[in-house]
Amino acid sequence: NPGYAGRTELPDNLKALFRPICMMIPDYALIAEIMFYSEGFSDARTLAQKMVQLYKLSSEQLSKQDHYDFGMRAVKSVLVLAGALKREFQDEDENMLLIRAMRDTNIPKFLREDAALFRAIIQDLYPGMAITEHTNATLTNQLKASAEGQGLQATEILMEKALQLYDTVKVRHGLMLVGATLSGKTETMNVLEDALTTLGHTKDKARKVPVELASPLYAHVSQHRLNPKAVTGDELYGVVNATTREWSDGVLSSIARNLVSRNASGEDVTGRHWVVFDGPVDAVWIENMNTVLDDNKMLCLVNGERLKIPETVTFCFEVEDLRVASPATVSRCGMVYFEPIGDQVWLPLFTSLNASMGESAPEGLWQPEVLQAAVEELIRPFEANTHIHMGEWIPTVMPQLVRSMMLLLQGLVLGMSTADDEPVEAELPHHQVDEEDPDEEVMEPVRIEVVTDVERDLPPTPADPNGLFRQLTAFAFVWAFGGNGDNKGRSRFDETLGAAVRQFCPSLPEGSLFAYSVHRRSGCWVPWEYRVPAFIYNPYASLPDMIVPTPESTATRTVLLTLLRQHHHILLTGMSGTGKSVTLRSMMFDDLDTEDPSSPWDTFPVVFSARTTATHLMQSLNNKLRKHPSKTKNTLHIGPSANKRVVLVMDDINMPQPEQYGAS
């Protein structure tokens, strides 16, 4: 296909040997009519005409999205589902069965506005018909129980997307979950997996299978998750050694071979398997999956081998968008679109974190009612006024910011002691006198106070112990929601939300919200200058090793340490030359004592360059970390030495050369 994404143009001398042939668009109505008759429908011609008209109107009136497809494969999926419904509900009205099939296969992929328009088009095609909603009570109840068992909120949107995913799995063996980061794709899949597995175990234990558990999808589900962009094409599908002609399986071919052998041996005939590709889809690596996503489900490898994938295997793709995917790929997969609307994603996340952190915190330290007040007084005003307009170093989404706030607050409440309120006084280094030159002039190190005009006479105890949690909540909100902003963004944050933060926490002084920290021993807000330690001038140290502490570096180190001591991952951003690497190196040596063999912390740096690849990073990890045996057969874990925790400092992660479709 000339100009087709993911395909190569033929050279002119080869193209001259072929005669081009143009394929005609098939008659959808005739094909649908024949399939309706074969599925047992009596009024097949009328049903076919209405279905084709629905798809024609949808392609014209609905918005243009990369994941929409109204071609022959989409029509066929409707016909297959309609036939299954006809066999299950033989006495029900045929029009209603077709409406259910069209709705169940199309609504999951639509945006909210398009879904409403699609329902209106169906209503126009069937005027006066009362369209009833069909509910699967057994699966719905189990989905709620599975969500609660995993510490999630069984919200309406989660139940809706889980049921839509189930409906898509019924008619497609290849499906894509499309949506922004933290929109609930993975959790929805995990909840549905747990629900289907539980119902499958219930069915296996029953002497006589109930009608409501007759679905073959109610079985044990296993996920095989991989990131296709973290490896090369040869590492994904396998490669033939150019010298020895030996074949080496890739990640996907190894998974497929294992599933095929287990199914052929009868070891796992009824269990379901979901191969999950958690990474971007482009027009290169996904093209090799076309034969797998077709009805024949055949994985063709470079060595000429063809693996017939069992019917119990489903291929799932978790992607943010399909901007660079080819139409051939989109048409082969069922789509479930996750659209973050208002607080439907971040509010359940907040509720779950609030409950789980409250259970793990000592009694009396965690105050859920204060956090509920923070939602109304701080988070909602931020979402309404600032998030779209505040300049950020790294683009963020609301669930990510809410999670950052809760993790930072947890670290402030549980992981830090009042000793961290005071400046860390470094010991004066002692210079050893050279025995060969005893008359050498010895220059003593000097302690220099960087900040002198700070009030240090603070109360011994907080005036309001219950108000301390409110102060820490305000501090966590400011640094989680505003810490990613640039200078203009932080100024806008102060202007827009300064009044709201001070209304939530009246004890906060006037000035920039980022200029103060909470002194827990006294319950007072103190400027960052209070925490700045003295600078030790060592005349025998090299200049690059002498770091002058500032209020800005002290604030950064405090936030980093709070998160690091709770074992959370951190992304430190900023312009070149702002001291990111120096701050991290100083924190590792001074605060975590990584150079001390007896310290529970260890660290090693990895510096990225334009030529760094995933293989280089993997080799660095293998060289620096130790291999530990695992309980899983033929599996090794890598990690630090026993009783240690390693901090991997990756510098200049923006340096690796992006590939053709933007991935690093």
Side-chain angles (χ1 to χ4, degrees):
N1 294 330
Y4 197 73
R7 308 293 170 86
T8 303
E9 191 77 21
L10 288 176
D12 293 337
N13 59 343
L14 185 60
K15 192 186 301 183
L17 302 177
F18 293 89
R19 181 167 64 91
I21 299 176
C22 180
M23 300 294 295
M24 294 180 61
I25 299 177
D27 188 345
Y28 286 15
L30 181 59
I31 295 174
E33 181 182 348
I34 295 172
M35 288 197 66
F36 274 130
Y37 275 127
S38 66
E39 297 286 2
F41 286 84
S42 58
D43 194 11
R45 176 164 299 178
T46 304
L47 295 177
Q49 292 174 348
K50 288 197 173 186
M51 188 188 70
V52 171
Q53 186 65 19
L54 172 71
Y55 271 82
K56 181 175 180 294
L57 293 173
S58 298
S59 62
E60 294 173 353
Q61 299 184 19
L62 269 56
S63 64
K64 306 300 180 185
Q65 303 293 330
D66 295 322
H67 62 277
Y68 285 4
D69 173 62
F70 302 103
M72 192 64 238
R73 289 190 177 94
V75 172
K76 183 176 182 297
S77 65
V78 175
L79 297 173
V80 171
L81 181 57
L85 293 175
K86 178 64 176 176
R87 289 187 291 274
E88 185 177 356
F89 306 98
Q90 298 181 8
D91 298 330
E92 194 165 334
D93 184 15
E94 292 182 350
N95 289 299
M96 186 58 64
L97 294 178
L98 177 60
I99 291 173
R100 278 184 54 189
M102 293 188 299
R103 186 182 57 201
D104 292 347
T105 55
N106 288 282
I107 290 294
K109 67 184 175 185
F110 289 145
L111 277 67
R112 179 179 51 172
E113 296 81 3
D114 289 339
L117 181 57
F118 184 80
R119 290 189 177 96
I121 295 175
I122 293 179
Q123 196 69 57
D124 292 341
L125 290 174
Y126 295 92
M129 177 175 286
I131 301 176
T132 59
E133 294 288 341
H134 176 76
T135 58
N136 188 337
T138 303
L139 181 58
T140 302
N141 294 333
Q142 185 56 52
L143 286 171
K144 292 179 180 178
S146 298
E148 293 170 356
Q150 296 181 21
L152 304 175
Q153 306 301 309
T155 60
E156 180 181 353
I157 187 68
L158 177 61
M159 296 296 102
E160 177 186 352
K161 288 302 173 184
L163 291 172
Q164 289 179 356
L165 181 59
Y166 172 75
D167 292 335
T168 308
V169 172
K170 286 196 299 184
V171 296
R172 297 285 191 113
H173 66 270
L175 54 98
M176 291 188 176
L177 289 76
V178 185
T181 302
L182 287 175
S183 57
K185 301 187 294 294
T186 302
E187 294 300 339
T188 301
M189 186 176 293
N190 292 339
V191 168
L192 180 61
E193 175 203 351
D194 184 76
L196 295 179
T197 300
T198 303
L199 292 176
H201 292 166
T202 303
K203 181 172 68 173
D204 294 340
K205 295 177 182 178
R207 293 184 177 180
K208 183 179 180 181
V209 178
V211 177
E212 61 271 14
L213 297 178
S215 173
L217 294 180
Y218 294 162
H220 180 80
V221 179
S222 301
Q223 283 193 37
H224 310 271
R225 188 173 291 269
L226 67 148
N227 183 352
K229 301 291 279 188
V231 293
T232 63
D234 292 341
E235 293 169 340
L236 182 63
Y237 292 105
V239 64
V240 176
N241 189 294
T243 305
T244 63
R245 309 305 298 171
E246 291 182 351
W247 168 255
S248 299
D249 264 329
V251 178
L252 176 60
S253 59
S254 176
I255 294 174
R257 193 183 303 279
N258 181 40
L259 296 179
V260 169
S261 62
R262 292 178 62 179
N263 184 267
S265 64
E267 179 183 348
D268 189 6
V269 179
T270 60
R272 311 291 299 189
H273 296 274
W274 294 353
V275 181
V276 185
F277 296 83
D278 192 354
V281 167
D282 60 41
V284 177
W285 74 264
I286 193 66
E287 285 294 318
N288 295 319
M289 293 289 293
N290 283 350
T291 55
V292 179
L293 299 175
D294 281 332
D295 290 341
N296 53 12
K297 295 184 72 172
M298 193 76 67
L299 179 61
C300 302
L301 303 178
V302 182
N303 63 344
E305 196 173 1
R306 292 155 57 90
L307 299 178
K308 175 65 176 176
I309 306 299
E311 294 298 323
T312 55
V313 178
T314 300
F315 292 89
C316 308
F317 304 84
E318 289 189 32
V319 298
E320 183 174 4
D321 55 56
L322 295 171
R323 289 181 294 106
V324 295
S326 66
T329 300
V330 175
S331 64
R332 283 176 166 85
C333 295
M335 300 289 168
V336 181
Y337 183 69
F338 289 75
E339 185 177 9
I341 303 172
D343 60 1
Q344 292 185 356
V345 176
W346 66 261
L347 187 57
L349 174 63
F350 169 85
T351 305
S352 298
L353 290 175
N354 192 9
S356 61
M357 292 179 179
E359 293 175 357
S360 61
E363 186 177 358
L365 280 182
W366 199 263
Q367 300 178 20
E369 64 281 356
V370 174
L371 289 170
Q372 291 294 341
V375 170
E376 302 299 329
E377 299 179 30
L378 299 179
I379 299 179
R380 292 194 187 279
F382 173 86
E383 183 183 28
N385 298 314
T386 313
H387 189 217
I388 299 177
H389 307 291
M390 190 180 78
E392 297 178 308
W393 291 112
I394 300 292
T396 57
V397 292
M398 276 299 296
Q400 173 187 359
L401 298 175
V402 170
R403 181 174 179 272
S404 298
M405 170 186 165
M406 298 299 289
L407 295 180
L408 181 56
L409 180 60
Q410 183 187 37
L412 291 169
V413 173
L414 304 180
M416 302 283 279
S417 65
T418 56
D420 296 306
D421 292 336
E422 308 301 329
V424 179
E425 293 294 339
E427 296 182 1
L428 291 174
H430 179 69
H431 178 67
Q432 297 290 336
V433 179
D434 190 354
E435 297 180 357
E436 297 181 359
D437 188 9
D439 298 330
E440 175 191 8
E441 182 181 357
V442 177
M443 299 176 64
E444 293 295 336
V446 181
R447 175 182 279 109
I448 302 174
E449 292 290 343
V450 180
V451 179
T452 57
D453 54 344
V454 175
E455 175 62 38
R456 298 192 180 274
D457 187 13
L458 300 175
T461 56
D464 181 14
N466 294 328
L468 182 59
F469 186 84
R470 182 176 288 266
Q471 291 174 316
L472 296 176
T473 302
F475 177 85
F477 168 78
V478 169
W479 281 95
F481 282 79
N484 186 37
D486 53 22
N487 292 336
K488 292 183 179 179
R490 291 192 180 188
S491 299
R492 184 183 293 273
F493 189 92
D494 283 332
E495 295 170 3
T496 309
L497 296 171
V501 176
R502 289 184 174 86
Q503 182 178 357
F504 176 80
C505 184
S507 61
L508 180 61
E510 293 295 327
S512 173
L513 299 174
F514 301 92
Y516 296 93
S517 66
V518 181
H519 190 269
R520 266 155 307 172
R521 180 177 56 80
S522 63
C524 298
W525 289 92
V526 295
W528 283 111
E529 287 80 0
Y530 178 89
R531 292 175 177 260
V532 176
F535 167 60
I536 304 300
Y537 173 71
N538 184 1
Y540 297 97
S542 61
L543 286 177
D545 293 335
M546 290 190 290
I547 302 174
V548 180
T550 63
E552 290 75 16
S553 65
T554 303
T556 303
R557 287 176 64 164
T558 301
V559 175
L560 293 179
L561 275 173
T562 303
L563 294 170
L564 203 57
R565 285 171 174 168
Q566 292 299 307
H567 312 149
H568 299 308
H569 305 298
I570 304 169
L571 179 62
L572 183 59
T573 61
M575 295 289 290
S576 298
T578 52
K580 301 185 296 296
S581 301
V582 171
T583 300
L584 284 173
R585 186 170 64 249
S586 174
M587 184 180 67
M588 295 297 148
F589 295 157
D590 298 339
D591 298 301
L592 300 181
D593 296 327
T594 53
E595 289 188 321
D596 185 359
S598 62
S599 172
W601 295 92
D602 196 3
T603 182
F604 71 87
V606 176
V607 181
F608 283 55
S609 68
R611 297 297 181 183
T612 302
T613 63
T615 304
H616 295 152
L617 179 59
M618 183 173 63
Q619 290 174 351
S620 298
L621 293 175
N622 287 331
N623 293 335
K624 299 283 186 173
L625 300 177
R626 298 188 177 186
K627 294 180 174 62
H628 301 279
S630 171
K631 296 180 181 178
T632 307
K633 185 179 179 181
N634 298 328
T635 303
L636 284 177
H637 289 168
I638 59 172
S641 304
N643 301 321
K644 275 187 177 284
R645 182 168 290 271
V646 67
V647 180
L648 174 62
V649 181
M650 294 182 287
D651 205 357
D652 295 330
I653 61 172
N654 60 309
M655 287 297 293
Q657 183 73 29
E659 49 105 66
Q660 180 182 357
Y661 296 98
S664 296

